[in-house]
Amino acid sequence: MAGAEGARNSAAGWRNPLRDKRDKRLPRIAGPCGVVIFGVTGDLARRKLMPAIYDLANRGLLPPTFALVGFARRDWADEDFADVVYQAVKQHARTPFRQVVWDRLAAGFRFVTGSFDDDAAFARLAETLEQLDSERGTGGNHAFYLSIPPAAFPVVCEKLHASGLARPREGRWSRVVIEKPFGHDLSSAVELNNVLNSVFPEESVFRIDHYLGKETVQNILALRFANQLFDPIWNAHYVDHVQITMAEDIGLGGRAGYYDGIGAARDVIQNHLLQLLALTAMEEPVSFSPAELQTEKIKVLSATRLAQPLDETTSRGQYAGGWQGGERVVGLLEEDGFAEDSRTETFAAITLEVDTRRWAGVPFYLRSGKRLGRRVTEIALVFKRAPHLPFDATMTDELGKNALVIRVQPDEGITLRFGSKVPGHLMEVRDVNMDFSYGSAFSEDSPEAYERLILDVLLGEPSLFPVNAEVELSWEILDPVLENWAEHGRPEPYQAGTWGPPSSFEMLTRSGREWRRP
Ligand code: BG6
């Protein structure tokens, strides 16, 4: 393999699918390796990471010699750690529990007690990994999963470097996996990336955005680029606007430590929602190689900017008490751990413009919030009205705009909304839905996003991980909103169980549009 392509492919250990004649349906199984989780006592590790590792083992996708090492301050023995993983797997694993799989997996569990700045603990970690390499056969290949507060990233990276763990032996690999948020604005993200890249080369850094691991999100690429039907209308000639909604019904009880001071825009718009926008708005990549895919995402994010003036094109809110699912729920300010005068927004909405030939003049509305009407994530392309309606005006009262809705979750699928004649003797037209649903179209269950992403880390496949440039561009887009909000008092309250504050609705009604009621 010659030239730039050869360099790129070998650097990331990636194989060109066009040249690779292996049957892609064969399972992808990780080679000998071990994973170290920092922050192993946290919620994410318990709810997502440990169960995903078990599910991968259960599906036969981990090597029999796999090892999992927990690192935290608790004074745990290996058995205590195994017990914690066991409980997590029992509660949250997607696939059935099988004793034989568990026994084989648990034989590779180790725990190292220590704080993030403790040299001696990192020396013990290095020793443990060496032992696992020789006794269990993990082959000197290690992924360090940093499920820890961002403030701790630099010190952990530095200790991994000082203890020699960041530099793999010849022919082996060391990879670092980091959870968002990658900084809290552009300048802190640049700093963080500098620290990371001073220890790990960029191809060894895997930034997790778990939305990219979701089947429905990857299906955006299939929908757009495997079909002839949609591309001709996927542009400003036909699309009136795009709405990207990520709504959650849960509140923030128990998450103050992470969320207070962060807020909805940093928590999910900077990453998940801008990635959804990038996949929806980007041009067709030359191939699905990591480099080509990233090139297109970077191009479209570079062309994306905030619509102005921000006071009219953005909205932020904070949930107050209310009713949800028949239960009385408290407002954010009464949740444990939040400052009494917290200004953290639990709802954020912004309007973006994508300055390209394809999208000029089409607003992209992004919104996300906690304690909203229900849990739903969707991308809706709302089309322009037909230029002329040869019907009696009263016959089209109930005809809205056509829409193509990618239902990311729950009830994963796609809906096409269009007008249809109401049965009867009048030529009355009303909106109807045509649905594709994963549940009924496929018998296979979708793997959890974290299963897919952890396996990709172990295989060294970076396609589904945003690179440095994407993270920085996303902050560049969002920073002016955050600065604007910081200058303006408190977020607007909205009642739990509703769809956000009035300013969110005004954002759209100003241009004669409205949010979809998912
Ligand atoms: C995380 C956010 O990235 O995504 C959380 O930090 C949010 O605040 C979560 O609840 C939602 O993930 P999912 O996969 O349930 O939509």
Side-chain angles (χ1 to χ4, degrees):
M1 204 180 293
E5 189 200 11
R8 211 166 45 222
N9 292 347
S10 59
W14 174 79
R15 307 165 79 107
N16 184 341
L18 300 176
R19 309 249 171 95
D20 189 348
K21 297 281 187 270
R22 282 178 316 163
D23 186 336
K24 288 291 173 200
R25 288 162 303 188
L26 291 176
R28 307 171 315 146
I29 301 174
C33 64
V35 170
V36 180
I37 303 182
F38 293 89
V40 80
T41 53
D43 205 42
L44 182 77
R46 202 170 42 81
R47 283 192 310 116
K48 298 288 182 189
L49 309 184
M50 294 167 178
I53 285 173
Y54 169 81
D55 287 327
L56 286 173
N58 209 5
R59 291 165 61 208
L61 301 178
L62 294 184
T65 58
F66 181 79
L68 175 67
V69 181
F71 185 106
R73 261 194 302 229
R74 304 284 162 95
D75 194 13
W76 283 346
D78 294 343
E79 297 72 38
D80 301 318
F81 174 54
D83 203 41
V84 170
V85 184
Y86 180 79
Q87 299 302 336
V89 167
K90 279 285 191 167
Q91 265 184 15
H92 300 290
R94 182 178 64 87
T95 59
F97 187 81
R98 289 197 293 152
Q99 193 65 42
V100 40
V101 173
W102 171 257
D103 290 343
R104 196 170 52 217
L105 188 65
F109 290 173
R110 302 287 185 276
F111 187 76
V112 176
T113 301
S115 57
F116 298 150
D117 57 354
D118 180 354
D119 289 325
F122 278 80
R124 285 199 299 280
L125 176 62
E127 232 170 76
T128 305
L129 290 177
E130 194 133 324
Q131 260 170 20
L132 284 167
D133 286 346
S134 59
E135 288 167 17
R136 197 164 157 83
T138 36
N141 300 315
H142 307 127
F144 300 100
Y145 200 117
L146 273 47
S147 174
I148 56 179
F153 291 160
V155 65
V156 172
C157 286
E158 187 203 309
K159 297 294 175 202
L160 286 172
H161 179 64
S163 55
L165 286 170
R167 283 186 311 276
R169 290 200 303 275
E170 182 68 24
R172 312 285 191 252
W173 52 259
S174 274
R175 299 182 181 134
V176 66
V177 186
I178 54 173
E179 273 293 335
K180 65 176 194 50
F182 315 109
H184 56 270
D185 57 11
L186 177 59
S187 70
S188 57
V190 170
E191 252 173 59
L192 176 62
N193 276 322
N194 287 342
V195 173
L196 274 172
N197 289 150
S198 69
V199 174
F200 291 94
E202 181 63 15
E203 67 265 18
S204 303
V205 179
F206 289 74
R207 298 173 184 79
I208 292 260
D209 184 316
H210 79 278
Y211 265 59
L212 296 179
K214 291 183 190 275
E215 285 288 330
T216 37
V217 173
Q218 290 160 44
N219 193 35
I220 300 171
L221 300 179
L223 178 78
R224 294 193 56 197
F225 304 124
N227 298 301
Q228 179 69 347
L229 187 57
F230 303 109
D231 189 59
I233 54 169
W234 206 273
N235 55 50
H237 295 299
Y238 295 92
V239 176
D240 176 73
H241 69 279
V242 178
Q243 301 186 9
I244 303 182
T245 297
M246 174 186 171
E248 293 180 281
D249 51 5
I250 50 169
L252 286 156
R255 287 194 73 201
Y258 163 74
Y259 203 89
D260 204 11
I262 295 245
R266 288 185 172 96
D267 183 37
V268 298
I269 292 190
Q270 188 272 342
N271 36 75
H272 306 329
L273 268 57
L274 282 174
Q275 285 291 325
L276 294 183
L277 176 142
L279 294 175
T280 307
M282 72 183 199
E283 295 303 313
E284 181 181 277
V286 173
S287 76
F288 288 139
S289 80
E292 309 289 9
L293 203 53
Q294 281 146 13
T295 301
E296 293 307 331
K297 284 201 284 170
I298 289 170
K299 265 169 58 187
V300 78
L301 288 171
S302 318
T304 302
R305 54 201 99 259
L306 291 161
Q308 301 288 343
L310 294 181
D311 292 339
E312 293 181 7
T313 59
T314 71
S315 156
R316 70 181 169 138
Q318 189 183 70
Y319 65 82
W323 288 89
Q324 205 162 35
E327 265 182 44
R328 179 130 198 93
V329 295
V330 298
L332 183 86
L333 300 179
E334 297 138 272
E335 299 275 21
D336 270 355
F338 282 88
E340 269 170 31
D341 57 350
S342 172
R343 290 182 171 195
T344 302
E345 85 278 356
T346 60
F347 176 95
I350 62 176
T351 312
L352 294 168
E353 287 162 354
V354 179
D355 288 346
T356 60
R357 172 176 282 246
R358 188 185 285 272
W359 293 115
V362 178
F364 282 69
Y365 300 109
L366 275 50
R367 66 173 164 170
S368 178
K370 306 280 185 194
R371 285 269 184 249
L372 297 185
R374 72 184 187 89
R375 173 172 180 258
V376 59
T377 300
E378 63 167 44
I379 302 164
L381 275 75
V382 180
F383 291 89
K384 294 182 173 168
R385 278 189 190 282
H388 171 67
L389 290 172
F391 302 87
D392 189 298
T394 56
M395 295 292 113
T396 53
D397 281 350
E398 292 185 58
L399 175 66
K401 288 177 181 161
N402 298 162
L404 179 74
V405 185
I406 300 170
R407 304 194 311 270
V408 173
Q409 68 186 26
D411 184 24
E412 291 81 357
I414 293 171
T415 299
L416 193 57
R417 192 164 174 76
F418 55 92
S420 176
K421 182 182 174 309
V422 179
H425 62 278
L426 296 174
M427 187 44 120
E428 194 183 349
V429 183
R430 185 189 298 163
D431 284 338
V432 293
N433 287 337
M434 193 157 84
D435 277 338
F436 146 67
S437 153
Y438 272 81
S440 44
F442 299 108
S443 54
E444 298 89 345
D445 274 352
S446 299
E448 267 280 320
Y450 277 97
E451 284 173 53
R452 168 71 201 253
L453 296 176
I454 291 173
L455 184 60
D456 279 358
V457 170
L458 304 182
L459 292 167
E461 291 194 1
S463 309
L464 297 179
F465 298 84
V467 288
N468 194 349
E470 290 167 72
V471 172
E472 292 181 4
L473 280 166
S474 302
W475 281 120
E476 211 171 303
I477 294 167
L478 201 61
D479 268 2
V481 186
L482 300 171
E483 283 159 22
N484 179 275
W485 288 350
E487 287 162 14
H488 289 74
R490 303 182 45 74
E492 223 179 324
Y494 61 94
Q495 215 181 3
T498 65
W499 285 94
S503 58
S504 157
F505 296 92
E506 287 153 19
M507 229 177 90
L508 271 72
T509 45
R510 269 191 203 96
S511 58
R513 300 182 171 107
E514 58 183 19
W515 288 113
R516 282 171 39 81
R517 277 286 170 133

